[in-house]
Amino acid sequence: MADKFDEATQKELAQFVETEQAQARLHQSIHTLTSMCWDKCITGTPSTRFSRSEESCLANCVDRFLDTSLFMVKQIEEQRERAGLQ
């Protein structure tokens, strides 16, 4: 089916699919982050406000999740670069 499109349309379609996949990965990461941090930090029944310890835990959890995610992305990029040089 993709053979029926001209080259410009194929490139546009590929870019669209790549963008949609990136958005799906982002949404999955947000879902994972939300679920993990909620389960870890919210120990009681939620009310209209989080307790100070819950707020602190949530902030630290998000920071650690983002730090870890960035670290992993950098490691993968470095591995790809090393593999490309060999």
Side-chain angles (χ1 to χ4, degrees):
M1 182 172 159
D3 296 336
K4 296 180 182 180
F5 297 120
D6 63 18
E7 187 175 336
T9 303
Q10 288 179 7
K11 285 182 181 180
E12 184 179 345
L13 183 58
Q15 180 64 40
F16 173 78
V17 169
E18 185 177 324
T19 301
E20 290 298 309
Q21 288 174 337
Q23 287 180 340
R25 286 190 302 271
L26 176 63
H27 287 132
Q28 181 60 41
S29 291
I30 291 169
H31 175 73
T32 300
L33 167 69
T34 302
S35 178
M36 180 181 62
C37 292
W38 183 271
D39 291 345
K40 179 179 177 73
C41 298
I42 308 304
T43 55
T45 304
S47 64
T48 57
R49 294 191 53 121
F50 294 124
S51 69
R52 284 186 183 167
S53 62
E54 289 172 334
E55 283 184 27
S56 176
C57 181
L58 286 168
N60 287 332
C61 184
V62 170
D63 288 344
R64 297 301 73 80
F65 182 87
L66 294 175
D67 289 345
T68 302
S69 295
L70 289 173
F71 175 79
M72 291 175 67
V73 167
K74 287 179 184 177
Q75 293 299 311
I76 292 168
E77 286 176 353
E78 288 175 8
Q79 287 178 349
R80 284 183 181 170
E81 288 174 7
R82 284 190 295 246
L85 296 176
Q86 296 176 357

